[in-house]
Amino acid sequence: MVVADSAPSRRVVGGVRREPPVRYGELASQLAVRRPGAPRARSWLPPADPAAGSPAETVARLRMAGAALSPECRPPLRTPGGHLLHPDFPFRAAGLAVEVEGCAYHGTRRAHERDLAPFNALRSCPEVRRMPRFTARGVFAHPERMTAEIRTALGELGEPGAPTSVG
């Protein structure tokens, strides 16, 4: 699923925005060819989301779906000042925006500092009242903790249908 998410996605590499290595249609036509593994790989295309920003985001999205949690994936939100931001997983109705942080993305002190401004700006969006952040390591090693924390936050924010306790 990580490959299905990332292959048709644009990426910034070394500060340069790069086109996707393959388009969704090209990927689908290559998987239409009869070969071992193609039927299984084709089944991964419909739930793929090229908006996923990293393998950890893909895994987080799949783990949330498995826990019956349905956030949006990186939709555009505007700050009161008009800046366009793309939080990882907002639950707009509840005012929750879940962020997944990877070491590779923040590989340097400067990259981490550069990323602080959008996080702070995201807090000013009217759709965001709370913003839990999870490390990529936590998503991979303990996804149940992530989903439990999200459920708890949704319950505290009064999301309809969210459990009031985690069990």
Side-chain angles (χ1 to χ4, degrees):
M1 184 56 71
V2 169
V3 172
D5 273 3
S6 66
S9 301
R10 289 187 175 93
R11 292 283 187 260
V12 176
V13 179
V16 177
R17 188 166 177 84
R18 308 231 185 231
E19 288 301 309
V22 66
R23 302 278 181 207
Y24 184 89
E26 295 166 352
L27 188 58
S29 75
Q30 286 297 316
L31 292 175
V33 175
R34 193 177 166 114
R35 65 178 74 156
R40 183 173 182 201
R42 275 193 304 273
S43 73
W44 295 336
L45 288 180
D49 190 340
S54 69
E57 287 180 26
T58 296
V59 171
R61 185 183 85 243
L62 296 173
R63 294 299 189 162
M64 283 187 273
L69 297 167
S70 302
E72 295 175 75
C73 186
R74 300 185 56 83
L77 294 183
R78 287 210 183 269
T79 67
H83 291 97
L84 188 64
L85 301 171
H86 295 272
D88 294 341
F89 302 105
F91 293 81
R92 284 193 220 214
L96 186 74
V98 174
E99 290 289 314
V100 176
E101 304 301 322
C103 253
Y105 184 76
H106 300 291
T108 66
R109 179 187 306 250
R110 184 173 177 183
H112 183 70
E113 289 169 353
R114 184 180 57 239
D115 202 36
L116 289 179
F119 276 116
N120 291 336
L122 186 57
R123 291 184 163 278
S124 74
C125 290
E127 299 94 340
V128 179
R129 295 192 318 267
R130 190 163 174 189
M131 191 170 55
R133 295 167 72 182
F134 300 95
T135 64
R137 177 185 280 182
V139 168
F140 291 123
H142 304 288
E144 71 287 348
R145 289 182 192 164
M146 175 192 69
T147 56
E149 285 184 43
I150 293 168
R151 281 191 188 288
T152 299
L154 289 170
E156 290 169 357
L157 290 167
E159 171 70 4
T164 54
S165 64
V166 178

